[in-house]
Every structure is written in C-alpha cells, then in structure tokens.
C-alpha cells in the first residue's frame, strides 16, 4: 500500500531538527505591552488639560481625534505622538480616577464616639437572640432619649444616618456571632 508511494519514502529520509526553546517562549506579553513604545506618558498633562476644558463647559468637550490635532499643533516637530486609541484610554482612566476620588470623599464615615458605640453594643447584648427585632430607627430614638439633657444633645452626638449605618453593621456582626454558637 502506502509504503510503496514515493512521498512516503521521501518523508522517511528527512530528519527534522527540533530546537529546544526555553520554557515560556510563546507567552504573550501582558496587557499594554503587546506593541512597541507607548507615548502617552509624555502627553498626560496635555490630555488632562484638554479634558478639564470639556469638564467645565460641555460645548468645549473634545473627542480623541481633536485632542490629537491639538497635540500635533502644540508639538509640530514631534513624530512620536500617541494614537487616538491611547488618548481614548487615557480619557477613560482620567474619568475613572476622578470618579473614584469623588466616591472616596463621599464615603468618609464619621466615627461614633466611644460612649455611644458602647451603648449600641449593650442594646444588642440585651436583645440576645432577638436582635433582629431591633430596628435602627428605634435604637436611634433610644440613644437620643438616653443622652439628651436640658441643654439638648452634646456636640459630639452622631447624626441619625451614622448611627443607623453603624448599628446595622453591628447587627450583622452580632448575627454571625449568634449563628456560630
């Protein structure tokens, strides 16, 4: 059969040399390292300024193509300029960074002074396994009645939102403690 065919006899005479490559030779580069040089770092400040003009006034928003034109006009002798896609990615990362800063500012939680926090914990301890019946609104009212005086509340008394949020967190911790035992 096949052994008599000329192609098979020719293939049997060929000797292949297999080169031994090091482990990992075919791995792809990490994200962002696929292609050659990345020029965006040199122009970050310019892109940020162009983004800022669009942030304050909507009619001045620029797309990546227009930003690239501004950069070309500012640096006429440069050949190594970022591409539109790199500019678009930089704009996205700028907006994400600003969004994270804004949420970080909003999420700064005021600490509850120790005497109030201890009272919240005591309410949970007294409730025992009936902790689920305690509502944050009711606990806040109890706290006000306990710490109010003829002059009113003390200056360090936490606001309602802070007390409710903290009490809900303590309830969750209390719940896991009771579920373990």
């Amino acid at each position: 059969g096949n052994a008599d065919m000329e192609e098979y006899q020719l293939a049997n005479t060929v000797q292949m040399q297999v080169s031994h490559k090091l482990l990992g030779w075919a791995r792809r580069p990490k994200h962002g390292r696929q292609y050659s040089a990345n020029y965006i770092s040199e122009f970050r400040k310019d892109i940020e300024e162009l983004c800022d003009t669009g942030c304050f006034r909507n009619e001045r928003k620029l797309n990546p193509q227009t930003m690239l034109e501004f950069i070309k006009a500012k640096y006429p002798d440069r050949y190594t300029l970022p591409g539109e896609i790199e500019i678009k990615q930089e704009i996205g990362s700028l907006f994400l960074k600003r969004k994270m800063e804004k949420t970080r500012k909003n999420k700064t939680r005021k600490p509850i002074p120790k005497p109030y926090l201890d009272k919240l914990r005591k309410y949970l301890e007294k409730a025992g396994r009936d902790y689920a019946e305690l509502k944050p609104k009711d606990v806040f009212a109890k706290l006000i009645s306990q710490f109010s005086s003829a002059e009113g509340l003390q200056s360090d008394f936490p606001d309602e939102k802070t007390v409710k949020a903290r009490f809900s967190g303590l309830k969750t911790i209390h719940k896991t403690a009771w579920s373990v035992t």
Side-chain angles (χ1 to χ4, degrees), residues 1-10:
N2 292 341
D4 299 334
M5 294 178 70
E6 186 178 331
E7 291 85 8
Y8 280 98
Q9 291 172 358
L10 195 68

Side-chain angles (χ1 to χ4, degrees), residues 19-41:
S19 63
H20 295 284
K21 303 226 186 253
L22 295 174
L23 183 65
W25 68 271
R27 289 196 182 131
R28 293 181 65 159
K30 292 181 181 178
H31 181 72
R33 308 280 184 249
Q34 181 80 13
Y35 303 107
S36 58
N38 186 346
Y39 302 108
I40 198 75
S41 59

Side-chain angles (χ1 to χ4, degrees), residues 111-121 147 156 158:
I112 296 180
K114 188 167 175 37
Y116 309 118
L117 191 61
D118 290 342
K119 262 309 173 198
L120 292 176
R121 287 186 177 127
F147 284 97
D156 67 341

Side-chain angles (χ1 to χ4, degrees), residues 21-65:
K21 303 226 186 253
L22 295 174
L23 183 65
W25 68 271
R27 289 196 182 131
R28 293 181 65 159
K30 292 181 181 178
H31 181 72
R33 308 280 184 249
Q34 181 80 13
Y35 303 107
S36 58
N38 186 346
Y39 302 108
I40 198 75
S41 59
E42 300 171 38
F43 302 99
R44 273 203 176 100
K45 203 171 247 182
D46 296 320
I47 293 170
E48 192 169 352
E49 288 172 10
L50 292 169
C51 275
D52 286 342
T53 59
C55 283
F56 298 121
R57 296 188 64 186
N58 254 355
E59 67 270 5
R60 289 191 177 172
K61 277 191 178 175
L62 303 173
N63 60 13
Q65 184 179 11

Side-chain angles (χ1 to χ4, degrees), residues 118-171:
D118 290 342
K119 262 309 173 198
L120 292 176
R121 287 186 177 127
K122 282 183 184 175
Y123 291 150
L124 279 171
E125 287 171 12
K126 281 184 184 177
R129 288 192 182 270
D130 299 329
Y131 67 90
E133 294 173 18
L134 288 174
K135 303 293 179 220
K137 184 172 78 172
D138 300 334
V139 170
F140 181 69
K142 264 186 182 179
L143 206 61
I144 286 178
S145 66
Q146 196 159 25
F147 284 97
S148 62
S149 62
E151 299 89 40
L153 293 171
Q154 295 177 0
S155 62
D156 67 341
F157 193 81
D159 64 334
E160 184 176 5
K161 184 178 177 183
T162 307
V163 171
K164 285 180 176 180
R166 186 60 191 228
F167 185 72
S168 295
L170 288 172
K171 264 177 77 170

Side-chain angles (χ1 to χ4, degrees), residues 99-109:
K99 185 177 179 182
M100 294 300 288
E101 287 172 359
K102 194 183 284 187
T103 56
R104 226 178 272 132
K105 286 178 186 175
N106 292 342
K107 286 193 175 185
T108 53
R109 187 170 63 177

